[in-house]
Amino acid sequence: NDEELEKELDRMLELFKEMELEHQLEQTAEKLEELAKKEEELSEESKEGKKSSEELKKEQEKLDEEFEKIKEDIEKLEEMNEELESPKHLDDMDEQSDDIEKDMEESSQELQKGEKQKAGEKQKSASEKMKDMAQGMKDMMQQAQEEQMEEDLEALRQLLENLVTLSFDEEETMK
């Protein structure tokens, strides 16, 4: 039946989109964790004071650019989610992104002034917030998977119920 085939294809497409979203979410969380490590290392370097403010500022700028790319990835994730028939519950990550960006900007300003200790603290703060955000993304993914499993179980339960009913109906017809 063409109608059933079309429904099945739509369902498969939806599943594919959900898997793609989960994959992107996972990759973005990993990129964020990696960036958090780099920001934390930079924080240590800033506090040690061995490198010049200029070197540290250049490294901070590189990390700023990486974070911008991650923000773009997050926007893509939100768009992908909106395209789903039943969008997943994604926490609003804009506020977290803004906080991280603010800390990174402030660390650059502190480095500009030669205040390496203060810059190091802002970098540490940004790093912690990145870790929290990455963990939040992983938690969202876990929650989405659990919800999907519940839906699948419910569908399976319904299917079995229908099968048993059908079986009894057939048995009655045969008597």
Side-chain angles (χ1 to χ4, degrees):
N1 186 331
D2 285 349
E3 201 173 297
E4 285 176 14
L5 182 65
E6 196 170 322
K7 273 185 186 175
E8 190 61 25
L9 284 173
D10 285 344
R11 206 172 69 77
M12 288 297 170
L13 182 63
E14 185 71 7
L15 274 174
F16 176 73
K17 285 179 181 178
E18 285 176 12
M19 284 173 57
E20 195 176 22
L21 177 72
E22 284 177 19
H23 177 71
Q24 288 296 98
L25 195 59
E26 195 174 335
Q27 281 193 320
T28 304
E30 284 172 12
K31 284 181 192 174
L32 202 52
E33 284 177 336
E34 192 58 42
L35 186 60
K37 281 182 196 159
K38 290 179 187 176
E39 188 74 28
E40 192 168 359
E41 286 166 13
L42 186 59
S43 164
E44 296 301 317
E45 289 175 2
S46 294
K47 288 177 183 176
E48 282 172 11
K50 290 179 185 170
K51 289 187 175 178
S52 73
S53 291
E54 195 53 44
E55 281 179 285
L56 294 168
K57 193 170 182 302
K58 275 184 185 159
E59 285 182 40
Q60 182 63 61
E61 284 167 5
K62 275 187 208 163
L63 298 182
D64 290 349
E65 285 172 26
E66 280 186 51
F67 187 66
E68 276 307 311
K69 287 180 187 151
I70 290 175
K71 278 181 70 173
E72 287 170 22
D73 289 347
I74 290 171
E75 280 178 35
K76 283 182 201 159
L77 279 171
E78 289 169 347
E79 286 170 20
M80 285 170 73
N81 191 43
E82 290 304 310
E83 287 173 17
L84 293 175
E85 280 177 37
S86 52
K88 303 286 176 210
H89 174 71
L90 295 182
D91 294 336
D92 186 29
M93 295 175 266
D94 294 340
E95 197 175 314
Q96 285 177 300
S97 295
D98 292 344
D99 283 351
I100 293 168
E101 206 166 21
K102 187 171 171 253
D103 281 346
M104 292 172 91
E105 281 171 18
E106 287 175 9
S107 81
S108 286
Q109 290 166 1
E110 294 298 347
L111 287 170
Q112 189 78 38
K113 296 183 218 168
E115 298 281 346
K116 294 179 189 175
Q117 285 296 318
K118 286 181 182 173
E121 282 164 30
K122 286 294 173 185
Q123 291 160 339
K124 179 78 174 159
S125 171
S127 168
E128 292 301 318
K129 288 174 184 174
M130 284 179 205
K131 287 177 190 170
D132 290 346
M133 190 173 177
Q135 187 57 51
M137 291 169 117
K138 287 183 172 182
D139 292 346
M140 280 188 280
M141 212 165 45
Q142 182 75 33
Q143 187 180 358
Q145 287 170 345
E146 286 171 11
E147 285 171 9
Q148 186 61 51
M149 231 164 39
E150 280 178 34
E151 285 174 29
D152 292 349
L153 277 172
E154 189 52 45
L156 188 62
R157 199 173 290 119
Q158 190 62 50
L159 188 69
L160 286 172
E161 217 171 273
N162 292 346
L163 196 60
V164 169
T165 305
L166 183 69
S167 178
F168 282 137
D169 289 349
E170 268 187 17
E171 232 174 83
E172 283 300 311
T173 331
M174 294 174 101
K175 284 183 181 174

